[in-house]
Amino acid sequence: SSHPSVEAAVPDPPASVEARSSAKMPLIGLFMQAVCENIERIEFPEDIVEWTLDVVQSAGIDKRERITINAREEVEVPNSKGSANFIVKWEGAKQASTMSVVTITRKTDVKEMKGKKLGEYDATSNEMAPIAIFDCRGMEPTRWHPVGPFTVVAADGGKTFKEVDLSDAEGDGWVEYDDEKDQPVRITELKYEFKVMK
């Protein structure tokens, strides 16, 4: 029959578009910076951390606010063999959009991450540093709600504060007292940005 030649003559455009976009695999990094007093580092432990984000449809205007995503929850992607940490089906979209938390392994080819560690912020650095990377397909994050739970480690081998919510650090400041080292600990001027990783 002439059926195969018709198939060959008319390539299916969505498939080629899909192949192109998945080859790119946009990785979006969450970078943060804060003014820290008497603090060594802020940890974002993979086994407990929930990232709370606002996300927007990549090619549209639809958005979802305060979604939570973590590296532990795997959801099967409809009509595919893969899984992701968060899935949303935008209205009118043919396929589900997915987002996953990227765990940095030696295999992950992200040049900007050479020699850097995800999951913690060095409080002495005073510069924008990546704390998480998200593999985004069909959606992208627009806002980070730093509600935690995070871990804050005081300077000089001081106290470790667990289950910390850093929302106040964007405003008046997150303030606690380290009674082991008799020092106030403070995080203020928390800023963040999302950047496409190279």
Side-chain angles (χ1 to χ4, degrees), residues 1 28 30 37 39 41 63 103 114 118 131 140 149 153 167 176-177 184 190:
S1 79
I28 297 180
L30 169 57
E37 186 184 325
I39 287 167
R41 67 183 182 274
K63 64 173 191 247
T103 49
K114 287 275 188 303
L118 280 177
I131 54 170
E140 45 206 69
V153 181
S167 302
E176 283 286 345
Y177 191 75
L190 174 66

Side-chain angles (χ1 to χ4, degrees), residues 29-174:
L30 169 57
F31 288 69
M32 76 158 273
Q33 181 178 13
V35 176
C36 301
E37 186 184 325
N38 294 325
I39 287 167
E40 184 185 305
R41 67 183 182 274
I42 304 167
E43 296 175 350
F44 307 93
E46 210 171 88
D47 54 339
I48 61 159
V49 76
E50 293 272 349
W51 298 102
T52 303
L53 309 167
D54 291 357
V55 295
V56 64
Q57 185 179 11
S58 295
I61 51 167
D62 248 358
K63 64 173 191 247
R64 295 271 193 287
E65 293 182 353
R66 297 186 79 95
I67 65 114
T68 58
I69 178 171
N70 65 57
R72 304 174 306 283
E73 278 178 33
E74 293 277 333
V75 193
E76 281 184 21
V77 181
N79 310 321
S80 116
K81 293 193 180 86
S83 64
N85 297 140
F86 177 76
I87 293 178
V88 63
K89 185 91 161 58
W90 303 106
E91 204 174 315
K94 286 196 182 75
Q95 286 167 319
S97 296
T98 65
M99 187 188 281
S100 290
V101 181
V102 175
T103 49
I104 284 293
T105 59
R106 293 202 181 101
K107 291 194 192 91
T108 313
D109 189 25
V110 182
K111 292 190 189 73
E112 282 179 67
M113 289 308 298
K114 287 275 188 303
K116 291 203 179 80
K117 206 165 143 187
L118 280 177
E120 70 175 50
Y121 176 73
D122 176 356
T124 60
S125 75
N126 210 11
E127 59 184 40
M128 274 282 179
I131 54 170
I133 295 178
F134 303 99
D135 172 349
C136 305
R137 301 171 196 222
M139 70 174 114
E140 45 206 69
T142 54
R143 168 139 173 65
W144 172 41
H145 300 273
V147 293
F150 310 130
T151 302
V152 175
V153 181
D156 304 320
K159 194 168 177 175
T160 296
F161 298 88
K162 298 201 169 201
E163 305 219 345
V164 173
D165 176 341
L166 287 178
S167 302
D168 289 344
E170 287 186 290
D172 299 336
W174 176 83

